[in-house]
Amino acid sequence: TVPLVSARVDRTWQVWRTRVTGMVDVFNIINANPVTNFNLSNGPTFEQINGALDPRTLQIGVRIEF
């Protein structure tokens, strides 16, 4: 299992006839770094790590509805 925790916070404001929403997303909050892929071939590359989970990431966005 991979301990992956993500969260979103958003807030909406009414500006005239338009709704403006500000959003903040945080992915991989606990900054888990498990191996997601590794090489099973025999030889010097045996169990070489090919991929790991992305680090903690912050995403900021704005949505405008009219």
Side-chain angles (χ1 to χ4, degrees):
T1 60
V2 177
L4 185 60
V5 179
S6 300
R8 169 181 267 190
V9 176
D10 61 16
R11 167 82 179 168
T12 303
W13 295 274
Q14 186 76 31
V15 181
W16 296 289
R17 293 181 181 171
T18 305
R19 287 177 32 179
V20 179
T21 304
M23 299 168 285
V24 176
D25 295 309
V26 183
F27 303 103
N28 195 8
I29 291 174
I30 58 177
N31 207 21
N33 192 22
V35 173
T36 57
N37 193 3
F38 58 93
N39 194 353
L40 290 176
S41 298
N42 290 335
T45 61
F46 181 69
E47 289 190 352
Q48 179 180 11
I49 296 173
N50 294 333
L53 196 62
D54 291 333
R56 186 179 303 123
T57 307
L58 178 71
Q59 175 178 299
I60 299 172
V62 175
R63 178 174 47 220
I64 300 172
E65 299 177 46
F66 49 93

